[in-house]
Amino acid sequence: KKKLKISGRELLSVPTQVFGLEQLQVLEMSPERESCLRYRMELLPQEIGHLRNLTCLYVDSNNLKKIPAEIGTLSSLERLTLSNNSLSSLPAEMGALQRLQSLHLANNSLTELPETLCQLRSLTFLDVSDNKIDTIPSSIRHLEKLETLLLLFNSLESLPEDVCLLRNLHTLWLGNNHLRSLPAAFGELVNLDWGYNYCSCNFEGNPLESPPPEVCSRGPEGIKDYFSSLRRI
């Protein structure tokens, strides 16, 4: 079998037999999809590195405090979900996951966007909402394929200009941070799907001053015109 789901109301660990299933492609150890209690697994075993054919690994809603370095050996991994855990850091070895397209890290304890994530050149979806992130590294510009970036409910006070180089972004959620201003080149993100009331960018819950919210509601052109007018003054 190439797909395995391990469930239990109080899952604490992974049966060792799992790591002998070398052809396994999908491993799910998350209660999110079945309305049951949060699992209590605190440690993802080092032996996870034996599953070299994994393409999807779901470990949401556990109590993980650490991800082993061996996760970097999962070279076929395309989707990794680690939301609703207790992670405060990620191993540098995650930067080796060069096929990873979707990464879910919402509701953890990260205080910064790890530099190692900016090495994931194939990433198209990144959710780091509901953490304690106050810093976005300039190396985020390397995520050239990124289409969705969710940063809601963090502690961001500013965005680096490098975010404006992510020209494939369609969705950028920034709500409920501490942003008072946006980068001058923010209007260059012309592929953002602004939709109605600029909800694609979701600035609500930020004390924006420059540009003011009414300018943001006019979309990227309004933001670009705003900063252009400042340069003429």
Side-chain angles (χ1 to χ4, degrees):
K1 292 183 178 181
K2 296 184 178 182
K3 181 177 181 179
L4 176 64
K5 179 175 181 177
I6 301 175
S7 60
R9 291 176 65 85
E10 294 187 355
L11 184 69
L12 293 174
S13 61
V14 186
T16 55
Q17 299 93 320
V18 169
F19 304 116
L21 303 175
E22 296 181 357
Q23 299 306 311
L24 198 62
Q25 293 180 350
V26 179
L27 177 57
E28 182 173 343
M29 297 178 287
S30 168
E32 273 199 349
R33 296 162 182 77
E34 57 182 39
S35 300
C36 83
L37 298 176
R38 185 186 184 110
Y39 292 168
R40 296 194 294 164
M41 185 165 54
E42 295 187 1
L43 179 66
L44 194 60
Q46 295 177 346
E47 288 79 6
I48 192 72
H50 295 170
L51 303 178
R52 299 295 177 88
N53 289 300
L54 272 188
T55 59
C56 300
L57 177 58
Y58 302 98
V59 209
D60 301 281
S61 298
N62 277 274
N63 193 30
L64 294 177
K65 295 178 171 60
K66 185 178 180 180
I67 302 299
E70 285 74 11
I71 199 163
T73 65
L74 303 181
S75 58
S76 297
L77 205 61
E78 298 175 2
R79 182 177 177 87
L80 176 59
T81 66
L82 295 166
S83 296
N84 304 316
N85 279 289
S86 302
L87 298 171
S88 58
S89 64
L90 298 173
E93 288 78 5
M94 276 188 64
L97 302 178
Q98 290 302 308
R99 293 188 183 180
L100 197 65
Q101 299 173 20
S102 180
L103 178 58
H104 299 243
L105 286 163
N107 192 21
N108 276 284
S109 300
L110 300 172
T111 57
E112 61 183 6
L113 188 69
E115 287 272 1
T116 186
L117 299 188
C118 299
Q119 301 172 31
L120 304 176
R121 304 297 179 89
S122 60
L123 210 60
T124 60
F125 180 97
L126 176 59
D127 184 3
V128 286
S129 301
D130 203 5
N131 277 274
K132 303 173 183 178
I133 295 173
D134 58 12
T135 305
I136 303 293
S138 61
S139 55
I140 196 171
R141 66 184 182 276
H142 297 312
L143 301 182
E144 297 176 353
K145 295 184 178 180
L146 200 62
E147 297 177 0
T148 299
L149 176 58
L150 307 183
L151 288 162
L152 299 91
F153 292 99
N154 276 289
S155 301
L156 293 172
E157 295 186 358
S158 64
L159 289 177
E161 290 277 350
D162 302 83
V163 169
C164 304
L165 298 175
L166 302 177
R167 301 299 168 81
N168 285 313
L169 273 184
H170 289 276
T171 303
L172 173 60
W173 287 1
L174 297 165
N176 292 283
N177 278 279
H178 306 311
L179 297 172
R180 293 188 177 277
S181 64
L182 298 176
F186 198 88
E188 303 297 329
L189 295 174
V190 295
N191 288 319
L192 285 180
D193 178 16
W194 288 74
Y196 298 101
N197 299 320
Y198 62 87
C199 286
S200 170
C201 290
N202 193 0
F203 297 119
E204 295 178 2
N206 285 285
L208 272 180
E209 297 174 356
S210 175
E214 57 269 21
V215 169
C216 295
S217 67
R218 298 201 293 269
E221 287 303 320
I223 293 176
K224 189 183 298 184
D225 291 344
Y226 172 83
F227 284 112
S228 294
S229 66
L230 291 182
R231 288 193 289 270
R232 291 195 294 268
I233 297 175

